[in-house]
Every structure is written in C-alpha cells, then in structure tokens.
Amino acid sequence: MTSICIPSHPLAKLFTAITLATAPCAQAVLISSGDGSGNTSAGEVEFAFDNVGQRGSATAVYLGNGYVLTANHVGTGSVQLNGQTYEVEAGSTRRVQNPESSGLSTYTDLKVFRLTEIPELPALTIATEGVATGDHVIMVGNGYNRASEQTMWDVSTKTYPNVWTETTKANKADVFGYKTASGKTIRWGENIVEGNQTIGLGTHGQILSFYTQFDTGAGSLEHEAQATNGDSGGAVFSYLNEEWQLVGIMHAVSDKSPYSGNPDDEISSKPFAYDGKVTYSSDLSQYDLTFGGELDFSQQAAAAVQGIQQPSPVPEPNAAILLSSLALIIWKRRKI
C-alpha cells in the first residue's frame, strides 16, 4: 500500500515524493518539452546544476564545505555528484527544526550531513527571503524519465469518483499530461510559484512550503516541470538579487485537479504529471540550516579545512533567457 500524507488543506491528497512504507520513491523532474529527455545539464541557464546529486534512489543537494541537504525521509547515506561517490562523515547528521514560533512539529522533513571529502563545487547561496506567488523557479531532481508521447484523458463526472478514460482525440480531452517511463537521470525543469501551504508528512514532521502546479495549457512554460517519485531532496532555485539562490527542497506531490479518481489512485507508485498536479517544496528562508552558525557552508571555510582551490562563482544567467522567462511569467495562466 502506498503511504499517503495529508497536508493542511482538507481536500488535497498528498503523496511523498520518495519511498515511504512500500511505495517506490520519486526521481527526476518530469518536463513537458520535447520528448522529455532533455535538460540533463544546466546549458545556458547557468545555475548550480552540478550541486544536485543522487542519494540512494532519490536526490540530495551539495551546499558547500562538504555539507549536503536532503529531505529527512530520503535518509542519510553516500551521495553521487558528477559521477563520483562521496561517503558520509560518521555522526554528522543533523535534523532541521521548525521555527519555535511556528507552532508546528519540532522537526521538519529536512536533514544536513557532511561528506568525508569536499567536492570541488561552488558553495550555494541559500535564500533568506522566501519566493513569492508568481516567482519563476528551476527544479532539479533525479529520477524516472517521461513517456515520449502526451497522454490525454476524457473525464466523466457522472459518478464519484470520476472516471478517467484515455483518449486520442484532443477535442474530447479534459486533462492532458504525461506518464512516467523506465530509467532515471538528473534533470531540470521550470515552473511558477502558485502559493504557500503548510503540509504534514507524518513522523517526518510538518513543512513550511511553497508549491508549484503543472500545466500543459496556454501560458505554460517551455520546460514546465512536475516532481515524481524520487525527486524528494531535489533542489529548487530562483534568480533573486542578481544571483541564483537555493530557495527550496522538494518533498511531496499532490493533486489540485478539479477531478477525483485520477490515474495516480491506481498507479501511485509512479505518479504521472498532468494538469492540476502540484509539487511541494520547503521554503528554506524559514529554516536555520546552520544551526545557530555552528555550520559554515562557505567556500572559504572549505579552503581553510582542506586547502582546496576555490571554484569560480556561478556566472550570471544569460540576459535573453531571463527576459524570456519573465515574459512567460507575465502571461502564464492556470486552470485552477
């Protein structure tokens, strides 16, 4: 049976994006562009793609100075970055807490641990101000590929739950989306922040999160992204104050579609991406990842410890790409 977590929204059914109980975990972000196999490097969008790596069957993010951040439910263990496997420093795992003033569970679904070696990767800037509704984000995760062809569903609302029937006729389709396929890789996609919501993941704690919504309709982005099994622990970046900042970690998916009885009810081990599907990510600006300054993720700290050469800062993104993204943000629309 697939584990199901219930967020604070009473109507939203929430699935964790990684293995819980017997459910397989969520992996690479599913994107709408092309045949779904692209975006396996940063390309011209020059954010810290290489800082996102594989942690077991899910994802983790390298922060700097040997420290890694992931979802608590992903677990502690070796991390693969750029094809190299790094082991965990014994006793270095620390669970991140919710703010005392939040009134939420003591711990949230985040953990930090340290590697025994320091990869030659840049230290990330972690956002101190949260993203707002309408902000553009880039999502990076490790996991299942996408089926090359789009799937369309004709949804009958005459019964409850509603009946979803696959169709080949676009004029009869109510919902458009994509199924997952075999194979995994680290991939990036993009989306727009739709809002904020506190969610709960059982024993893994409550999360101060923001969410994005997948859309295939008019106004959707070129590389519209949705998390699926294995993306837990994956990175969410946004271009803030003239630099790419780490603003979130992906944790779970849910459905804000107006229809019940969606395909994930039957195949929730590998949830699809379709109109109305959402991804929940922790708002890192709400959390003290340094534990009161005890941890230092900076490149200077890493150099002091091991004398490694400091990598060059991540370059600013191409201006034309940013303007293009901004234009898409302005006219993007959602069905719900």
Side-chain angles (χ1 to χ4, degrees):
M1 177 182 293
T2 302
S3 295
I4 298 175
C5 305
I6 307 299
S8 57
H9 190 294
L11 301 180
K13 181 171 64 179
L14 180 70
F15 298 94
T16 57
I18 178 64
T19 304
L20 291 177
T22 59
C25 58
Q27 331 257 323
V29 291
L30 187 152
I31 59 174
S32 61
S33 54
D35 63 1
S37 64
N39 294 5
T40 56
S41 66
E44 293 181 333
V45 187
E46 296 167 329
F47 61 98
F49 179 88
D50 291 339
N51 283 54
V52 182
Q54 181 179 342
R55 160 76 283 276
S57 58
T59 315
V61 182
Y62 179 69
L63 301 177
N65 193 22
Y67 290 102
V68 170
L69 176 66
T70 190
N72 181 67
H73 70 264
V74 169
T76 301
S78 60
V79 177
Q80 188 176 90
L81 295 160
N82 292 327
Q84 183 174 343
T85 299
Y86 297 87
E87 300 302 327
V88 179
E89 181 180 294
S92 66
T93 302
R94 303 185 71 161
R95 185 89 180 267
V96 179
Q97 296 187 5
N98 276 307
E100 289 185 12
S101 60
S102 68
L104 303 178
S105 57
T106 300
Y107 294 100
T108 190
D109 186 38
L110 288 168
K111 66 169 52 176
V112 178
F113 57 88
R114 202 175 195 196
L115 307 175
T116 55
E117 298 177 71
I118 298 181
E120 293 195 26
L121 291 168
L124 299 182
T125 298
I126 301 170
T128 56
E129 296 182 7
V131 287
T133 299
D135 281 354
H136 175 264
V137 294
I138 285 182
M139 304 153 66
V140 192
N142 167 59
Y144 291 116
N145 294 319
R146 194 204 85 190
S148 59
E149 299 297 325
Q150 188 179 66
T151 299
M152 300 177 288
W153 290 273
D154 178 6
V155 184
S156 172
T157 58
K158 295 179 180 179
T159 61
Y160 185 88
N162 303 153
V163 177
W164 295 47
T165 304
E166 289 186 27
T167 179
T168 58
K169 298 179 179 179
N171 62 345
K172 289 190 174 182
D174 298 296
V175 179
F176 298 80
Y178 299 92
K179 295 181 179 180
T180 50
S182 60
K184 306 173 184 178
T185 191
I186 295 178
R187 177 175 290 112
W188 68 268
E190 59 183 336
N191 214 314
I192 301 297
V193 175
E194 291 286 345
N196 299 91
Q197 186 172 327
T198 298
I199 63 172
L201 296 185
T203 59
H204 299 290
Q206 292 173 292
I207 308 167
L208 295 165
S209 75
F210 60 87
Y211 64 91
T212 57
Q213 182 169 306
F214 188 77
D215 184 11
T216 61
S220 59
L221 302 183
E222 179 181 2
H223 304 291
E224 188 90 1
Q226 169 62 32
T228 184
N229 279 23
D231 282 320
S232 283
V236 183
F237 295 98
S238 189
Y239 193 70
L240 305 171
N241 299 320
E242 300 187 347
E243 65 174 338
W244 287 105
Q245 297 186 14
L246 181 67
V247 296
I249 294 292
M250 291 183 279
H251 295 267
V253 300
S254 181
D255 180 7
K256 290 184 180 289
S257 161
Y259 304 110
S260 62
N262 63 70
D264 285 347
D265 287 347
E266 302 296 329
I267 316 176
S268 54
S269 61
K270 291 176 68 176
F272 303 153
Y274 50 80
D275 297 323
K277 201 70 177 286
V278 299
T279 300
Y280 291 100
S281 302
S282 50
D283 178 358
L284 296 185
S285 71
Q286 300 282 347
Y287 293 104
D288 178 14
L289 303 182
T290 69
F291 297 86
E294 293 181 28
L295 307 186
D296 188 347
F297 310 135
S298 71
Q299 219 47 59
Q300 290 79 5
V305 171
Q306 293 196 0
I308 64 172
Q309 181 178 359
Q310 291 183 222
S312 301
V314 178
E316 293 185 5
N318 181 284
I321 292 175
L322 280 179
L323 291 173
S324 173
S325 296
L326 179 59
L328 286 167
I329 291 170
I330 291 172
W331 56 267
K332 183 174 177 65
R333 295 293 184 269
R334 295 296 187 186
K335 291 186 173 65
I336 303 174

